[in-house]
Amino acid sequence: MSMDQVLRTIRSFDGVLELAPGEGSAFPELAWGDHFFYYAPDGEVPTREQPYATIVTKNYPDDAPSRLDEPDRWRLNIHAGTKKFVELLGEDPRSPVRTWDLAATDVVLPHPVHRAQGWVAIVVPGAATHELAVRLLRDAHEAARRRASRRPR
């Protein structure tokens, strides 16, 4: 599963807003080349709402265990929620962190930084995680849509 395939999948969702900071944008240089996805059919970034999925292409401060600074590595991050996190990983996201190989590719892992909020990560998604990644992305998008429908206008 290439990054382009993941991007095409997410971009096909109704009401998706993608932020893809690049050189010359108002975003910090650290975010250039990464992608942040929101449910926002009006095209406006929701206030007080985090993205429901991200694609990161490099290490961020305090987030190096995925080894994204190595060639051809990137990570898909998805807000799965507590219930799905437990179902996928067999532990509560707020439980003490057990040892995970956070650099493993094509497997679902707890997010190295945001696990307590129910985020999962897949480093270089491939054949083993393709279908699951698409399902998780659709579920996260739908959950963001439901949250948006409850927000006052």
Side-chain angles (χ1 to χ4, degrees):
M1 180 177 214
S2 71
M3 188 186 310
D4 285 339
Q5 288 174 302
V6 173
L7 289 169
R8 277 195 305 274
T9 296
I10 300 171
R11 289 170 180 160
S12 74
F13 298 162
D14 187 46
V16 71
L17 172 64
E18 174 185 359
L19 296 183
E23 187 173 348
S25 70
F27 296 92
E29 184 175 346
L30 181 61
W32 296 355
D34 295 340
H35 303 264
F36 305 85
F37 300 95
Y38 298 85
Y39 176 79
D42 61 2
E44 298 291 325
V45 177
T47 56
R48 296 183 305 274
E49 183 81 14
Q50 295 295 313
Y52 64 81
T54 67
I55 293 174
V56 295
T57 58
K58 69 197 77 64
N59 292 336
Y60 277 68
D62 300 323
D63 182 10
S66 299
R67 299 193 331 245
L68 300 180
D69 285 346
E70 295 178 11
D72 302 317
R73 293 180 64 87
W74 55 281
R75 189 179 68 217
L76 173 62
N77 305 300
I78 306 167
H79 182 248
T82 301
K83 182 178 176 184
K84 184 58 79 172
F85 186 101
V86 171
E87 181 183 311
L88 292 167
L89 299 172
E91 63 187 42
D92 188 284
R94 293 172 299 273
S95 67
V97 177
R98 74 173 214 217
T99 303
W100 289 89
D101 177 5
L102 298 175
T105 60
D106 201 21
V107 294
V108 177
L109 301 163
H111 188 283
V113 176
H114 303 294
R115 69 173 272 136
Q117 292 80 32
W119 281 77
V120 297
I122 306 170
V123 179
V124 191
T129 56
H130 175 85
E131 289 182 25
L132 176 59
V134 170
R135 269 197 320 275
L136 291 171
L137 287 165
R138 287 187 193 287
D139 291 349
H141 181 80
E142 181 58 24
R145 187 197 62 73
R146 285 191 305 273
R147 284 190 303 276
S149 73
R150 294 190 302 263
R151 281 195 294 267
R153 304 212 185 267

